[in-house]
Amino acid sequence: MAQLSDDCFAFGGPMMSVAEAVCLIAARVRQVGDVETVALEAADGRILARDLAAPLPLPPFTNSAVDGYAVSGSDLPREQECVLPVAGRVQAGRLAQAATPGHAVRIFTGAPMPEGTDTVFMQEDVRIDDAGRVVLPAGLRPGANVRPAGEDIPQAHVALKAGHRLRPQDVALAAAFGLTRLDVIRPIRVAVFSTGDELASPGDARAAPQLFDSNRFMLMAMLKRLGCAVSDLGILRDERTALANGLRQVASSHDLMLTTGGVSTGEEDHVKASVESVGTLVLWRMAIKPGRPVAMGVIGGTPFIGLPGNPVASFVTFVHVVRPTVLALSGAHASPVVPMPVRAGFTYKKKSGRREYVRAFLRMREDGALEAIKFPREGAGLLSSLVETDGLVELGESVTRVEPGETVGFLGYASLL
Ligand code: AMP
Ligand code: MG
């Protein structure tokens, strides 16, 4: 069972930077070791459990990269064109006969190189004379247009490392090795709760002062993109024992518990006290906007994260706290999210000492440069601001002002999940 150390006061402190939070998570969250085997068809998005060494070289045999004529390097014309009779023909999927010395062999893309040949002339570069011989131009480098065995990946080379999140091209590599199954880390089991008396589940009746719970569905979708097995645990009322009981009941059957809402310090924010009554907790005041209050703790050995209730704050803190936690639990290499440099198409003022994320769309300028246009409104409750934009402009702790035309870092939503 994955565990966060119970001594989680190390998570405390007055105002924690995003970088500190990520370091603490990486240092303290222990990997779920359980491995399962999946068919290649189901391997996309999974985390590889063991290093994968090439069981055979790729390509497995030396072959022609083009349609043309295979010759021996010693027959290559150096100064002026030369003429060779053609003997033999080899196509992809067939065994090649050894070449007759002083002859060219008709060959096709992917066909094995006949013994005695090492160079292929593209058919477009030669002509056939009246006697059916091939006329070869001078100047071709020996070894041209040949794909040597192992040039892509040598046998025994570690082609994929444990902790790698498999993508379609990685699945292709496993297939090229002839594998049918891969050992992967089992999905991380995450329990998701919303909290708040003002919330109604979509499908249920909504009283006039209520709104439909949207965060739970956003968070569950984000978790699924990270490969988690998600338990939808509905809405907990703003009441300390209900929250405490709800969390305690699911702790032992999950690797991570996630709530949204109720982590500020208002009178109706009960998450902090309820977690403290059944486990240990610290409230992080993260130096991040939107975001700020994030709770992190341990209940019965299972990590707990309480995200803020405002949808945009919930989204942004998910990326910086939940994503690294899920990656650490699954032993995945935390691929750093690298912002793409774009031009700012807006003016912005901010406080130094905290990181801010500005919701923005991308637009191609007339000079071909990409420009980030800020969403016109800033509220952390505006779902439209997430729906209508392409990603987040990241403004570092030291930035206090952004002027149009400056280079800023842009994180596309697709790169964050
Ligand atoms: P809280 O963090 O509980 O004080 O909530 C902050 C704001 O976010 C309030 O306006 C809540 O109504 C809203 N909110 C909280 N939880 C959700 C949710 N699950 N879906 C949509 N909005 C929410
Ligand atoms: Mg609330």
Coordinates of all heavy atoms in Angstrom, one line a residue, residues 146 148 177 187 234 259 289 309 317 366 389 394 398 411:
V146 N 20.7 1.5 -47.7 CA 20.6 0.2 -47.0 C 20.3 0.5 -45.5 O 20.8 1.4 -44.9 CB 21.9 -0.6 -47.1 CG1 21.9 -1.8 -46.2 CG2 22.1 -1.0 -48.6
P148 N 20.9 -1.2 -42.1 CA 21.6 -2.3 -41.5 C 20.8 -2.9 -40.3 O 20.1 -2.1 -39.6 CB 22.9 -1.7 -41.0 CG 23.0 -0.4 -41.6 CD 21.7 0.1 -42.0
F177 N 8.9 -5.7 -31.5 CA 9.7 -6.7 -30.8 C 9.0 -8.1 -30.8 O 9.6 -9.1 -30.3 CB 10.0 -6.3 -29.4 CG 11.0 -5.2 -29.2 CD1 10.9 -4.3 -28.2 CD2 12.0 -5.0 -30.2 CE1 11.8 -3.2 -28.0 CE2 12.9 -3.9 -30.0 CZ 12.8 -3.0 -29.0
P187 N -3.6 0.4 -12.1 CA -4.1 1.7 -12.0 C -4.1 2.2 -10.6 O -4.4 1.4 -9.7 CB -5.5 1.6 -12.6 CG -5.5 0.4 -13.4 CD -4.5 -0.6 -12.8
G234 N -19.6 10.9 -4.8 CA -20.7 11.8 -4.7 C -20.3 13.1 -3.9 O -19.2 13.5 -3.8
T259 N -10.8 15.5 -2.4 CA -12.0 16.3 -2.2 C -11.9 17.6 -2.9 O -10.7 18.1 -3.1 CB -12.3 16.5 -0.7 OG1 -11.3 17.3 -0.1 CG2 -12.5 15.2 0.1
K289 N -1.8 31.4 -7.9 CA -3.1 32.0 -8.2 C -3.5 31.6 -9.6 O -2.7 31.8 -10.5 CB -3.0 33.5 -8.1 CG -4.3 34.2 -8.3 CD -4.2 35.7 -8.3 CE -5.5 36.4 -8.7 NZ -5.4 37.8 -9.1
G309 N -12.6 24.8 -3.9 CA -13.9 24.6 -4.6 C -14.1 25.4 -5.9 O -14.8 24.9 -6.8
T317 N -4.7 23.7 -9.2 CA -4.1 23.0 -8.2 C -4.0 21.5 -8.4 O -3.1 20.8 -8.0 CB -4.7 23.3 -6.8 OG1 -6.1 23.1 -6.9 CG2 -4.4 24.7 -6.3
E366 N 0.3 37.9 -37.7 CA 0.6 38.0 -39.2 C 2.1 37.6 -39.5 O 2.4 37.1 -40.5 CB 0.3 39.4 -39.7 CG -1.1 39.5 -40.1 CD -1.5 40.9 -40.7 OE1 -0.7 41.7 -40.8 OE2 -2.8 41.0 -40.8
T389 N -10.6 28.7 -23.6 CA -9.2 29.0 -23.8 C -8.5 27.7 -24.2 O -9.0 26.6 -24.1 CB -8.6 29.6 -22.5 OG1 -8.9 28.7 -21.4 CG2 -9.2 31.0 -22.2
E394 N 2.1 30.8 -17.9 CA 2.7 30.7 -16.6 C 3.6 31.9 -16.3 O 4.5 32.2 -17.0 CB 3.5 29.4 -16.5 CG 4.1 29.1 -15.2 CD 4.9 27.8 -15.2 OE1 6.0 27.7 -15.7 OE2 4.3 26.8 -14.7
S398 N 8.9 35.8 -9.7 CA 9.6 37.1 -9.8 C 8.9 38.1 -10.7 O 9.2 39.3 -10.6 CB 11.1 36.9 -10.2 OG 11.1 36.3 -11.5
L411 N 1.3 26.9 -21.4 CA 1.0 25.5 -21.2 C -0.3 25.1 -21.8 O -1.3 25.5 -21.3 CB 1.0 25.2 -19.7 CG 2.3 25.5 -18.9 CD1 2.0 25.6 -17.4 CD2 3.3 24.4 -19.2

